[in-house]
Amino acid sequence: TYLWSYEGEQLLTDLSVHRDLMPRTVEGQLTMEKTPSYFVTSEAPQRIHAMAKDTKLVVVVRDPVTRAISDYTQTLSKKPEIPTFEVLAFKNRTLGLIDASWSAIRIGIYALHLESWLQYFPLSQIHFVSGEQLISDPAGEMAKVQDFLGLRRVITQAYFHFNSTKGFPCLRRPEDGASAPRCLGKSKGRTHPKIDPEVIRRLRKFYKPFNVMFYQMTGQDFQWEQEDGEK
């Protein structure tokens, strides 16, 4: 819904409307809202804390290099005239200067964004989901999410079916029998453009210190440095 990404009067005007749009929650239920931009919106932590300081936060993260290419791929599908990834990723390619102001790059500096959230929420109220594990072991990741939210483990391996065409797991309800699983839409699973390996190497070097900092802050090692065979 992007409420906490709004600015000034629009935020105050739409708050009551936002609440009315949310489903009624009775005892024993949880209401969830999903807006990816919150994690990278500097005003969001304070706004959400002011509304409900006990809110639990779930953040899905993935290898920032892969994330940046995926971000670019999404934009390219809508604006095929944009420059190449290699052009946009650098302020000066000859000198190897990464353009961290480009949103596709900046979003993946997770440690920077997390610092803002930790000013308002303890780490115990934030759960980080590995995007890679969510694909390779969706049931395992969902078990952790359900535990974090204090829910009974209802969503198990029986709820997932891997779609080899898209490369993502699809969701199915075991009680629905032979009905077709629900898969991600056309905007997901697009084939990424081929990126110069040297650009990938420079991006990995750029992100590495930020990744290490993020691992230390969260107490989780996502092992992104091992991508593409790097050890």
Side-chain angles (χ1 to χ4, degrees):
T1 61
Y2 298 91
L3 175 73
W4 307 114
S5 302
Y6 292 166
E7 297 181 0
E9 294 181 1
Q10 186 179 8
L11 172 69
L12 298 175
T13 301
D14 291 349
L15 181 57
S16 60
V17 176
H18 173 77
R19 284 175 171 165
D20 289 341
L21 291 173
M22 298 299 282
R24 298 289 181 180
T25 304
V26 300
E27 186 176 356
Q29 291 183 327
L30 293 176
T31 297
M32 299 188 69
E33 182 203 335
K34 179 182 78 72
T35 304
S37 65
Y38 288 168
F39 187 60
V40 299
T41 301
S42 58
E43 300 86 0
Q46 185 275 330
R47 292 172 174 175
I48 294 175
H49 184 269
M51 182 196 72
K53 64 181 181 180
D54 295 326
T55 296
K56 288 188 174 182
L57 307 162
V58 178
V59 184
V60 181
V61 292
R62 67 186 301 192
D63 174 1
V65 176
T66 305
R67 202 220 70 79
I69 297 172
S70 178
D71 191 321
Y72 172 79
T73 303
Q74 289 282 81
T75 303
L76 183 65
S77 70
K78 301 172 184 176
K79 301 178 179 179
E81 73 281 1
I82 63 173
T84 65
F85 180 89
E86 289 85 346
V87 169
L88 294 171
F90 290 92
K91 285 184 176 179
N92 187 314
R93 188 170 177 181
T94 302
L95 298 177
L97 298 178
I98 302 295
D99 188 357
S101 66
W102 183 31
S103 62
I105 300 293
R106 180 177 54 82
I107 290 173
I109 309 176
Y110 303 129
L112 176 66
H113 308 305
L114 181 56
E115 284 182 342
S116 299
W117 288 91
L118 292 179
Q119 292 179 32
Y120 295 93
F121 294 92
L123 192 60
S124 59
Q125 283 178 229
I126 310 175
H127 178 74
F128 296 93
V129 176
S130 165
E132 289 78 19
Q133 289 296 313
L134 191 58
I135 293 173
S136 63
D137 181 22
E141 284 300 303
M142 287 306 301
K144 297 174 187 176
V145 171
Q146 291 170 98
D147 291 347
F148 170 70
L149 296 175
L151 300 173
R152 182 167 55 90
R153 290 189 179 185
V154 173
I155 301 176
T156 62
Q157 186 61 47
Y159 278 75
F160 296 99
H161 168 76
F162 189 77
N163 184 316
S164 57
T165 301
K166 279 187 168 291
F168 288 103
C170 300
L171 190 65
R172 64 181 178 190
R173 295 170 62 91
E175 58 268 31
D176 290 344
S179 61
R182 297 179 59 183
C183 299
L184 294 172
K186 295 180 180 179
S187 65
K188 303 297 182 181
R190 287 193 176 98
T191 300
H192 290 178
K194 185 174 178 57
I195 307 299
D196 184 340
E198 177 60 19
V199 172
I200 300 294
R201 188 190 69 80
R202 291 191 179 187
L203 279 174
R204 292 207 177 283
K205 184 177 181 181
F206 168 79
Y207 277 120
K208 185 170 183 176
F210 296 112
N211 290 346
V212 171
M213 188 184 304
F214 185 62
Y215 301 164
Q216 293 171 341
M217 294 170 75
T218 62
Q220 293 179 242
D221 183 353
F222 293 92
Q223 300 183 336
W224 292 321
E225 284 63 44
Q226 295 183 23
E227 293 292 315
D228 297 334
E230 183 180 345
K231 300 294 182 182

